[in-house]
């Protein structure tokens, strides 16, 4: 009796504003034998969250990308839960629960286990905002999003049919409002509702379309693809921090090369990263640049697909390297000394990026560190190699240098030399350094070089690479 009463009180909340009932229809209930989701792929913590909410009398489901990935047989990288409990009600049920966000209020429930803490994102069913005047900007873009609604409405405001399925771990049933499961079988990515209207509401959905198509290998449905060519320019209105997050997700999806090709095919790359324009628009003359970026992205995809970490700073350092190299060479040709020429080029390269999606400062310092380490890999005598190995970001700089060797922008023998140097003991290292001294035509340490050839202080990148 008392528990029932408490449940009723908990469920009553003055913030709950149901909008007019929308004709969102009844969901298709898909039983286990049809969806074949393997319960072993579920996060125990996500199941704990749905159980706790259900025990307290609420509806709760695993939702969104996690259900899509589960249905594809992929282990989801994170789990979202949707419920009819309001954020306050959710917060009261969990010890480690934090209210996050203003435009889109959600609750983060954190679990501390053996490895990294796991955060389960819990969101309250949202209403459709068709008639909620003050929530929508003139362009149709949604500004605030905290009007609660029914599950059917919540499903209708999600982006793609395959992202709008709800899975109840207790009954192992999937609720499917928009034919997501049928689209999964057809390998189709289909926008819910009128695609043009949905892109106007949130232009980032165009980038999401490209990202999910690359990730799943699905085709964009014709009507979902068609408006993108005309509406792509709306991405200019999206705050740059959000664009940056979305591009980062795209680059870190494990399918970045496919996604970038997708951006190009959809005509969406212009103005996102000036560098993408540069790489994707230029022809055979920049083949070297293209090869380098392609290799760097393939390398990133491979790392992500095998569960290794990737630093965004490293990734951006690779994407901008061709541009930096061009600026560096131009500075050297003007007679600037090698190192100042590099640093000046780094400033220029970073400044050019600020005309499009700005690369956040926290990544900028990583990029600068990786770049400025590069000439140091060519000083392979005396104390230099030891000092370089001790620098805290050596591994990143080294991996970067190996990529340069793989495209032969830097002499591959240098990469091999470093691989040997790391693997051997002090005696072996001495031998390797002696070998450099005896290498015919190899560049001596810059200090000695300057003493010998006073007027020619500049060492252009190409000669350093030979
Ligand atoms: P990922 O694997 O990248 O996490 P995801 O589908 O889970 O993919 P999220 O950004 O985590 O993507 O979003 C979770 C869910 O929220 C989506 O599956 C979708 O249902 C909904 N969603 C997210 N962003 C939007 C958006 N811009 N418009 C409509 N629905 C969205
Ligand atoms: Mg997700």
């Amino acid at each position: 009796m008392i528990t029932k009463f408490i449940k009723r009180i908990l469920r009553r909340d003055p913030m709950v504003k149901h909008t007019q009932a929308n004709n969102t229809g009844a969901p298709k209930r898909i039983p286990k034998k049809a969806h074949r989701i393997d319960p072993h792929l579920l996060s125990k913590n996500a199941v704990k969250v749905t159980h706790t909410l259900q025990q307290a009398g609420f509806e709760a489901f695993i939702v969104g990308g996690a259900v899509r990935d589960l249905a594809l047989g992929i282990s989801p990288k994170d789990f979202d839960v949707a419920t009819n409990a309001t954020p306050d009600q959710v917060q009261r049920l969990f010890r480690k629960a934090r209210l996050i966000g203003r435009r889109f209020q959600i609750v983060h429930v954190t679990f501390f286990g053996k490895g990294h803490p796991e955060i389960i994102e819990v969101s309250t069913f949202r209403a459709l905002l068709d008639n909620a005047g003050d929530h929508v900007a003139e362009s149709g873009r949604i500004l605030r999003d905290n009007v609660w609604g029914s599950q059917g409405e919540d499903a209708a405001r999600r982006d793609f049919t395959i992202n709008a399925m709800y899975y109840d771990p207790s009954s192992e049933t999937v609720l499917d409002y928009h034919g997501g499961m049928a689209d999964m079988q057809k390998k189709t990515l289909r926008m819910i509702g009128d695609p043009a209207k949905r892109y106007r509401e949130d232009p980032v959905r165009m980038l999401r379309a490209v990202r999910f198509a690359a990730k799943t290998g699905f085709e964009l449905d014709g009507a979902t693809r068609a408006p993108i060519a005309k509406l792509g320019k709306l991405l200019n209105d999206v705050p740059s921090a959000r664009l940056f997050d979305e591009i980062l997700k795209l680059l870190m999806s494990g399918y970045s090369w496919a996604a970038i090709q997708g951006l190009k095919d959809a005509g969406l790359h212009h103005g996102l990263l000036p560098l993408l324009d540069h790489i994707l628009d230029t022809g055979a003359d920049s083949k070297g640049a293209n090869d380098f970026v392609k290799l760097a992205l393939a390398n990133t995809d491979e790392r992500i697909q095998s569960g290794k970490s990737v630093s965004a700073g490293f990734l951006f350092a690779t994407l901008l390297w061709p541009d930096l190299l061009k600026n560096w060479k131009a500075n050297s040709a003007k007679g600037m000394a090698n190192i100042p020429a590099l640093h000046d080029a780094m400033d220029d390269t970073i400044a050019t990026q600020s005309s499009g999606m700005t690369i956040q400062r926290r990544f900028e310092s990583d990029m600068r560190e990786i770049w400025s380490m590069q000439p140091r890999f060519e000083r392979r005598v005396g104390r230099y190699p030891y000092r370089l190995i001790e620098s805290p970001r050596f591994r990143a700089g080294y991996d970067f240098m190996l990529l340069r060797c793989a495209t032969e922008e830097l002499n591959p023998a240098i990469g091999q030399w470093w691989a040997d140097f790391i693997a051997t003991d002090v005696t072996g290292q001495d031998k390797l350094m002696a070998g450099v001294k005896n290498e015919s035509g190899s560049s001596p340490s810059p200090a000695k070089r300057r003493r010998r050839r006073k007027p020619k202080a500049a060492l252009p990148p190409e000669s350093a690479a030979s």
Side-chain angles (χ1 to χ4, degrees):
M1 188 66 195
I2 288 186
T3 31
K4 253 194 192 160
F5 176 73
I6 293 173
K7 277 181 192 170
R8 249 199 5 241
I9 296 290
L10 268 175
R11 234 182 296 173
R12 205 185 306 145
D13 191 300
M15 280 176 74
V16 179
K17 283 184 239 161
H18 288 274
T19 52
Q20 287 172 319
N22 270 279
N23 187 18
T24 43
K28 198 166 170 195
R29 305 180 78 85
I30 304 175
K32 184 177 179 163
K33 64 175 191 305
H35 61 63
R36 298 218 183 120
I37 287 177
D38 176 2
H40 295 104
L41 293 178
L42 291 172
S43 140
K44 287 195 177 64
N45 295 325
V47 176
K48 254 186 234 165
V49 170
T50 54
H51 276 171
T52 307
L53 283 159
Q54 289 169 354
Q55 293 275 298
F58 298 107
E59 294 167 26
F61 300 83
I62 290 170
V63 69
V67 185
R68 175 197 69 223
D69 290 349
L70 288 167
L72 285 168
I74 304 172
S75 184
K77 66 175 166 38
D78 47 41
F79 282 81
D80 299 328
V81 166
T83 176
N84 63 347
T86 64
D88 286 342
Q89 290 169 328
V90 175
Q91 204 185 17
R92 273 178 249 153
L93 287 170
F94 299 94
R95 248 183 340 124
K96 293 269 180 235
R98 232 152 56 92
L99 266 172
I100 308 282
R102 281 173 57 203
R103 177 183 168 265
F104 196 109
Q105 223 177 48
I106 50 171
V107 181
H108 276 180
V109 183
T110 310
F111 293 89
F112 297 92
K114 274 180 232 145
H116 287 295
E118 184 180 6
I119 295 176
I120 306 295
E121 228 173 75
V122 186
S123 55
T124 305
F125 296 149
R126 252 90 180 162
L128 283 166
L129 294 175
D130 278 5
N131 305 313
D134 60 335
H135 295 286
V136 183
E138 250 173 52
S139 64
R141 193 155 65 86
I142 292 180
L143 302 175
R144 273 192 305 132
D145 229 354
N146 285 326
V147 184
W148 319 132
S150 67
Q151 186 179 34
E153 289 179 277
D154 188 77
R157 50 171 301 293
R158 290 179 183 272
D159 45 11
F160 302 97
T161 61
I162 62 166
N163 282 350
M165 297 185 282
Y166 298 74
Y167 178 68
D168 175 8
S170 316
S171 63
E172 297 190 49
T173 306
V174 169
L175 300 189
D176 181 6
Y177 285 83
H178 296 281
M181 209 52 97
D183 282 339
M184 300 245 353
Q185 273 147 15
K186 283 185 253 163
K187 298 191 182 298
T188 298
L189 198 60
R190 187 192 314 275
M191 179 65 77
I192 296 168
D194 170 20
K197 183 170 167 244
R198 304 302 310 282
Y199 293 137
R200 276 201 195 90
E201 276 173 9
D202 181 4
V204 164
R205 288 173 184 149
M206 294 182 266
L207 297 177
R208 291 174 62 85
V210 169
R211 171 158 67 92
F212 294 130
K215 179 175 170 170
T216 56
F218 289 10
E219 287 285 326
L220 282 177
D221 163 64
T224 299
R225 169 177 283 278
I228 295 181
K230 222 172 91 192
L231 299 181
K233 58 182 187 299
L234 294 179
L235 284 168
N236 296 334
D237 302 340
V238 176
S240 86
R242 179 139 189 257
L243 267 190
F244 182 84
D245 284 350
E246 198 52 43
I247 290 291
L248 199 56
K249 277 192 194 172
L250 192 141
L251 294 173
M252 301 283 209
S253 64
Y255 301 86
S256 62
W257 182 247
I260 285 182
Q261 292 307 311
L263 285 181
K264 186 184 178 183
D265 294 345
L268 284 180
H269 58 293
H270 286 280
L272 286 177
L273 263 180
L275 137 108
L276 288 184
D277 291 3
H278 185 74
I279 292 164
L280 296 171
D281 289 340
T282 42
D285 59 318
S286 68
K287 193 178 169 303
N290 219 328
D291 284 351
F292 182 81
V293 170
K294 199 170 172 178
L295 187 74
L297 291 173
N299 180 55
T300 304
D301 288 349
E302 193 196 305
R303 284 186 69 93
I304 289 175
Q305 285 177 24
S306 59
K308 290 187 201 147
S309 66
V310 168
S311 108
F314 184 90
L315 184 58
F316 283 112
T318 56
L319 294 179
L320 295 174
W321 180 250
D323 190 60
L324 173 60
L325 207 55
K326 196 185 72 203
N327 291 338
W328 188 10
K329 282 178 185 167
N331 284 344
S332 296
K334 279 187 251 160
M336 270 170 103
N338 194 36
I339 302 299
L342 172 62
H343 283 263
D344 190 82
M346 295 197 307
D347 292 342
D348 279 354
T349 295
I350 286 173
T352 328
Q353 293 304 306
S354 61
S355 63
M357 177 193 68
T358 42
I359 291 178
Q360 288 167 5
R361 286 212 178 273
R362 61 197 159 114
F363 301 127
E364 202 183 299
S365 62
D366 281 2
M367 285 156 49
R368 285 180 185 273
E369 236 177 297
I370 290 168
W371 288 337
S372 56
M373 226 183 266
Q374 294 311 306
R376 297 173 64 192
F377 283 101
E378 288 162 56
R379 300 177 181 181
R380 292 172 292 147
V381 287
R383 296 183 315 275
Y384 293 122
Y386 294 110
R387 280 214 209 132
L388 185 52
I389 279 188
E390 276 159 25
S391 55
R393 299 301 312 276
F394 170 75
R395 194 73 214 185
Y398 171 75
D399 286 347
F400 192 94
M401 181 271 298
L402 290 184
L403 283 176
R404 296 175 58 209
C405 290
T407 50
E408 295 188 13
E409 176 251 309
L410 184 67
N411 183 354
I414 296 180
Q416 189 55 53
W417 188 93
W418 276 97
D420 296 341
F421 190 81
I422 295 167
T424 188
D425 57 9
V426 179
T427 326
Q429 290 178 334
D430 280 344
K431 261 196 207 153
L432 280 165
M433 287 197 282
V436 173
K437 278 186 198 150
N438 300 330
E439 258 175 37
S440 61
S442 78
S443 42
S445 81
K448 284 182 194 159
R449 186 188 180 101
R450 230 170 277 142
R451 248 180 276 129
R452 263 196 281 138
R453 291 207 240 147
K454 239 187 180 142
K456 264 199 178 175
L459 177 64
E462 312 96 307
S463 67
S466 59

